[in-house]
Amino acid sequence: MRRPEKVDVAIVGAGAAGSVFAAQLAEAGRSTVVIEAGRPWQLSDLVSSQIWARRLKWLAAVAEQAGSHRVSLAAGMGSGFGGAALHHYGTWPRFSVDTFALASLYGRGLDWPIGYDDLRPYYDRIQAELGICGDTEAETWRPPADPYPLPPMPQFAQARVLKRGFDALGMPTAQLPLIINSRPYRGRPACLYDGWCDAGCPTGALANPLVNYFERARTAGAELRSGCTATRILSDARGRASAVEYVCGGERLEQHADVIVVAASFVETPRLLLNSASGRYPQGLANGSGLVGAYFLTEASAFAYGLFDEPTEPHMGVNAGQLIYRGAIDAPKTDPQAFGGYQWQIAPAVKPNDIFGIAVARAELFGAPLHSFVAEAVGHYASLLSFGSGAPVRANRIELDGTKDAHGMPLARVVHEFPPEALGLWRHLLEEGRRIVQAAEAREVWTSQRPMTGHIVGGTVMGSDPAQSVTNSYGRCHEVPNLILAGAGLFPSSGGTSPTFTIHAVSVRAVEHLLDHWSDYAG
Amino acid sequence: MQTDTRRRSLLKAGGLGLLLINVDGAERWLSPRVARAETHPYRVLDATAVVALEAFGETLLAGAAEAGLAHYIDYHLSVPAPDSLLLLRYLDAPPPYAPFYQAGLAALDNHAQALDGMRFSELTAERRTEIVSAISAENPAGWQGPPAPLFYFAVRADAVDVVYGTVEGFEKLGVPYMPHILPPSKW
């Protein structure tokens, strides 16, 4: 077994969280290695095509899905440098205040060990550094925060059409806050609004790890290894994490490090920890609580669609949407049959094909009716999508399956069922979405048919009690003091919105704590 | 930034293709439409499967066969899963993907045989439409293959990709393509 030179920090996973850790650790002078299973994407790989974009996505290492509701994993996850953040849509609202205290406020799910006030300084610093465009005044639901550094993006026809519906129903909208430049900002150009975000933004107008944190990490000397699949985290006689075992080019290696960060996604992180069982950790590494893999949480998402007489130019804008309604996100959650806040993302730019494309919006059509629909819809279609926040269920989880991959590592098994209150919220969203599109004066209105997978969090949740969580608020494992977990897997609840801004905030807070307490972590 | 990301320079950078085909001893990127027109051999699918696939594709979306649906699917069944561009990878089907298509096409033919005593490709257009309508909703009795609605969804998405999801397809629909990095060969 070859053992490359020991480093200060080994990071597994090159997505949003891994990139933040790599940049800040390397800039602080810590020798840093990033081990990534996927490819070393460059900006020139980001071909403007929904078909080519599929290369950027994760290939599910899942053998089986159990439970009543399958989870759509691959389309929203990434593989290679940048991870999902390389092709994410850049929707960057902050989590609402009550997201952090669902158990205390409503007796549901789990509390976070931190609150919004703990994260606010990091949210503010990151938005100043990367630039978020939005409408500070119009977002009446936004928690206390610095104003957005960039003005709202322009509105196109699809947004103007759908806004009529919200206005008619008295539902205030604002420009969707986006990590996309509405004008040049800190060396990155302004967006061209041509709707290729899902294929990755090669101009860097939509900030992704290739144009921010990994650029910084490389400059500071971090080593990024691609095509290297971590198979186990090894531990030493003291119970500390000692090395990442990984396979690269058919060779099995061990990367020893003082501190190990696992930021490998809400599926791969628990899979790796569970596969790292040893005599000292028979249930898996950092799994004394038995909660590694548990509280895997997906939002139940709903779409509403309409065809309009007037032109809507649905190809214009960005994939995330142009407007947002978040008026109900932190309202008191008093309905036990439909628990959770939610947001509407309004008027996403869409292409004719692909999983969120126009043709899929009417999946029952084929033949001549399909062609007639697409030919009309490319000029007159409008859509909006919703994400319901929710409380996690312990029984929804990631496990190891008996089937193994090419490296001999067990595949994952996903167990998932939406709880009744999540389905209640989803049904409410379908009904509300239909009313909105009707109020916008569409001549044809329809909705999605099944609860669709929204954002995914959990699986290695943070908390104050070691018996009820895997890590503390810094992602530091309760049982293994030099092992840090990072990413949305830490989140004990979902925010009803993209978790990527919050992943950044939690990660910056964690890496700064690590640097400030280095000797305590590194032993 | 390390890379010049101005739009003009990125347009020049497009250099990829869809199908890497050996032509006269040299590999070159071809569009599925051209690969079909030049009758390049299939790598994974046999002749029976190709006939069924083209008939299924034409029923799902006219023009799919000529757009090279069978070459597109066949090629992307032949490459390693991380290189495959099929939408099936979004449906969390574990690779390899070839058995999914092979079993689905065989099930389609077998279903047509059971109902009408002939292969799917031999049915009238009207009868094909009836059968596709039925399998889009649920597994018909005796169906032996991947879930019929999933198979319908996946191949329909492939047909939509080759007909509408290309520069040429956008042009026919009147949708501006507006690329940052242009896919090659107008595939």
Side-chain angles (χ1 to χ4, degrees), chain A residues 306-318:
Chain A
L307 285 178
F308 291 81
D309 289 331
E310 65 222 88
T312 57
E313 294 187 319
H315 55 278
M316 291 300 299
V318 297

Side-chain angles (χ1 to χ4, degrees), chain B residues 73 87-88 91 100-101 149-159:
Chain B
I73 292 174
L87 186 132
L88 182 61
L91 306 180
F100 176 89
Y101 283 91
L150 180 66
F151 183 61
Y152 159 85
F153 185 89
V155 180
R156 179 185 180 276
D158 297 330

Side-chain angles (χ1 to χ4, degrees), chain A residues 59-404:
Chain A
L59 276 175
V62 174
E64 183 189 5
Q65 291 210 29
S68 302
H69 302 107
R70 287 179 60 90
V71 183
S72 178
L73 294 164
M77 295 173 67
S79 174
F81 291 175
L86 187 58
H87 56 79
H88 86 310
Y89 292 1
T91 312
W92 274 41
R94 300 170 187 225
F95 280 6
S96 60
V97 172
D98 74 350
T99 299
F100 300 91
L102 294 183
S104 298
L105 292 172
Y106 307 114
R108 302 273 183 140
L110 305 168
D111 282 349
W112 294 47
I114 51 176
Y116 175 79
D117 289 344
D118 297 299
L119 285 186
R120 181 189 167 175
Y122 302 96
Y123 279 130
D124 286 341
R125 279 169 43 196
I126 293 166
Q127 77 166 27
E129 180 183 348
L130 301 181
I132 296 178
C133 71
D135 188 335
T136 304
E137 299 301 319
E139 273 197 64
T140 54
W141 49 78
R142 193 168 178 241
D146 287 354
Y148 290 119
L150 289 167
M153 66 159 56
Q155 273 183 36
F156 298 96
Q158 187 188 178
R160 293 194 293 271
V161 165
L162 287 173
K163 187 173 186 302
R164 284 198 307 244
F166 284 89
D167 289 347
L169 298 177
M171 300 169 70
T173 58
Q175 195 235 276
L176 186 62
L178 297 160
I179 187 71
I180 300 177
N181 287 351
S182 56
R183 65 183 185 206
Y185 191 77
R186 298 201 174 185
R188 294 175 18 242
C191 180
L192 299 166
Y193 308 114
D194 42 22
W196 288 115
C197 319
D198 181 64
C201 181
T203 73
L206 193 165
N208 65 58
L210 298 187
V211 298
N212 48 53
Y213 291 102
F214 275 136
E215 180 73 6
R216 287 171 45 188
R218 280 196 182 97
T219 301
E223 182 187 350
L224 278 58
R225 297 177 189 158
S226 60
C228 298
T229 302
T231 50
R232 284 193 304 162
I233 306 298
L234 307 180
S235 50
D236 62 20
R238 294 186 298 157
R240 298 174 62 82
S242 57
V244 179
E245 178 194 84
Y246 66 102
V247 179
C248 203
E251 183 183 13
R252 199 168 291 270
L253 303 98
E254 287 179 7
Q255 177 60 62
H256 288 254
D258 288 325
V259 173
I260 293 172
V261 179
V262 180
S265 86
F266 37 74
V267 173
E268 296 287 13
T269 293
R271 181 179 172 226
L272 183 58
L273 296 180
L274 293 171
N275 195 46
S276 301
S278 62
R280 186 182 184 110
Y281 299 112
Q283 296 190 96
L285 192 59
N287 195 26
S289 64
L291 292 176
V292 168
Y295 294 115
F296 178 80
L297 172 61
T298 71
E299 298 165 346
S301 177
F303 283 67
Y305 311 93
L307 285 178
F308 291 81
D309 289 331
E310 65 222 88
T312 57
E313 294 187 319
H315 55 278
M316 291 300 299
V318 297
N319 290 154
Q322 300 172 48
L323 297 171
I324 187 171
Y325 167 77
R326 207 167 158 79
I329 194 66
D330 57 0
K333 296 167 178 60
T334 55
D335 184 352
Q337 307 304 316
F339 180 79
Y342 62 92
Q343 72 178 31
W344 284 104
Q345 285 179 226
I346 305 156
V350 291
K351 306 297 182 185
N353 63 318
D354 207 36
I355 196 74
F356 297 124
I358 286 173
V360 165
R362 292 291 303 272
E364 79 281 9
L365 298 180
F366 66 92
L370 170 60
H371 181 72
S372 297
F373 167 71
V374 173
E376 180 183 24
V378 292
H380 297 273
Y381 164 98
S383 67
L384 60 161
L385 63 154
S386 58
F387 299 106
S389 70
V393 175
R394 180 170 177 162
N396 287 339
R397 61 196 183 275
I398 304 294
E399 302 174 333
L400 294 185
D401 190 80
T403 312
K404 295 188 176 181

Side-chain angles (χ1 to χ4, degrees), chain A residues 39 52 54 194 365 367 371, chain B residues 7 17 60 83 161 164 187:
Chain A
R39 298 181 176 182
W52 280 100
R54 294 168 196 161
D194 42 22
L365 298 180
H371 181 72
Chain B
R7 181 177 229 184
L60 292 167
D83 294 325
D161 277 344
Y164 296 137
W187 57 269

